[in-house]
Amino acid sequence: MEKKNGKALTVVFSIISIVYVLPIFLVLMNSFKENTFVKTETFKWPMGETFVGWANYIKGFTFGNYPFLKSIGFSFMITVLATALILLCTSMAAWYVIRVNNLICKICYYLFVFSMIVPFQMLMFPLAKVSDTLHLNTPWTIPIVYLGFGAGMATFMLTGFVKTLPMEIEEAAAIDGCSPIKTFFVVILPMLSPTLISVAILEIMWIWNDYLLPYLVLDRTKYMTIPIHIQYLQGSYGSVDLGAIMALIVLSIIPVIVFYLSCQKYIIKGVAAGAVKG
């Protein structure tokens, strides 16, 4: 009976996996088709007159006056800076909230949790205005905005893991002469690595693929991330080159897929480690 149930679950999960992979496969397949056939023969294999080879990829790289490599550079820089800032600030906040554990810290913790359920649509218009006023509309300053939106989930996961760390280790470090800051960076931070890796993966996947926040905040005449660049891939009179768009989408998702497949085991470990207590 257990073997039958196991086979049934395997079939069900295989079907679910195919459903999730199918859109990615369709994007990859249509990236090699001529623009007209992407609309009319979406589900057909590219062959014969529909097959254009690497032409869509070349067109996507050379379209317009804004180079795609520049968009890749901005996306990479924003993703790295924002993720590093989120990990540093939220890990320190989580450790302080758990170790001090007074009324103010508890209120701060619940505010972090509450921020996870606030819809972005409620904030996007005042956010754009405030970002312009504070000059946060550049790739070097937008990570501060990402910190505000990513701190809730990261702090929630990290506080759960900090609760599992034995206090005796920190007391031993204090006896050896470590200051609180040195204790955090030398003792606590390395112990947080499983959850930090998990949080980093989730944040990187979110920031790399994010379209709306950079679109609202960044000065698009100077800075474009990959999603914004793809959205602007259109000709005169609103015509859209779907073949080139599909090609750039493939190029944009390859780094995330490779990164996720190489680090996916850490997600389960990090989430489980952060859910042991609390």
Side-chain angles (χ1 to χ4, degrees):
M1 188 65 179
E2 292 182 358
K3 291 183 178 180
K4 291 182 179 180
N5 292 335
K7 291 181 179 180
L9 288 174
T10 301
V11 172
V12 171
F13 287 128
S14 298
I15 294 173
I16 294 174
S17 300
I18 292 173
V19 171
Y20 275 96
V21 173
L22 183 60
I24 300 176
F25 177 75
L26 288 176
V27 170
L28 177 62
M29 187 174 65
N30 285 289
S31 69
F32 294 99
K33 291 182 183 177
E34 198 273 328
N35 183 44
T36 305
F37 296 103
V38 175
K39 303 175 184 177
T40 59
E41 300 181 9
T42 305
F43 297 95
K44 290 186 178 180
W45 186 261
M47 57 188 304
E49 61 178 352
T50 67
F51 182 71
V52 295
W54 300 100
N56 287 328
Y57 290 86
I58 297 173
K59 189 187 301 182
F61 262 95
T62 58
F63 184 87
N65 299 321
Y66 200 92
F68 186 64
L69 285 176
K70 194 174 181 180
S71 298
I72 294 176
F74 284 137
S75 287
F76 180 81
M77 182 176 64
I78 291 172
T79 302
V80 171
L81 291 178
T83 302
L85 186 62
I86 290 172
L87 293 180
L88 176 62
C89 295
T90 57
S91 59
M92 296 177 73
W95 180 60
Y96 185 84
V97 164
I98 295 303
R99 289 299 182 244
V100 176
N101 198 28
N102 57 20
L103 180 61
I104 296 178
C105 290
K106 290 179 180 179
I107 293 174
C108 290
Y109 171 74
Y110 287 114
L111 287 175
F112 279 121
V113 175
F114 176 75
S115 68
M116 297 169 59
I117 64 174
V118 177
F120 179 75
Q121 290 78 4
M122 292 177 58
L123 307 173
M124 58 184 188
F125 291 114
L127 173 66
K129 178 65 176 178
V130 172
S131 298
D132 287 337
T133 304
L134 299 178
H135 303 290
L136 300 178
N137 54 354
T138 68
W140 300 274
T141 53
I142 195 175
I144 298 174
V145 183
Y146 273 112
L147 172 62
F149 285 98
M153 183 195 69
T155 305
F156 175 74
M157 293 180 63
L158 288 165
T159 50
F161 186 74
V162 171
K163 291 178 182 179
T164 67
L165 301 180
M167 189 65 182
E168 290 77 10
I169 297 178
E170 298 174 40
E171 293 174 349
I175 293 173
D176 290 338
C178 287
S179 64
I181 294 178
K182 187 176 181 180
T183 300
F184 173 78
F185 284 103
V186 176
V187 179
I188 301 300
L189 201 59
M191 297 174 67
L192 290 175
S193 58
T195 306
L196 286 175
I197 294 174
S198 178
V199 172
I201 294 170
L202 298 176
E203 300 291 352
I204 286 172
M205 294 176 63
W206 161 51
I207 297 170
W208 179 267
N209 293 310
D210 188 29
Y211 166 78
L212 190 53
L213 184 56
Y215 185 84
L216 291 172
V217 174
L218 291 180
D219 182 358
R220 296 188 299 278
T221 61
K222 299 179 181 178
Y223 316 108
M224 286 190 188
T225 59
I226 292 175
I228 296 176
H229 188 107
I230 293 173
Q231 190 268 339
Y232 273 82
L233 195 65
Q234 53 186 336
S236 58
Y237 304 105
S239 61
V240 180
D241 193 331
L242 291 176
I245 287 178
M246 296 293 178
L248 293 188
I249 290 175
V250 170
L251 293 176
S252 67
I253 65 178
I254 286 176
V256 176
I257 291 176
V258 172
F259 180 76
Y260 178 79
L261 291 178
S262 61
C263 301
Q264 61 177 338
K265 61 181 180 180
Y266 295 108
I267 293 181
I268 299 175
K269 288 182 179 180
V271 172
V276 174
K277 293 184 180 180

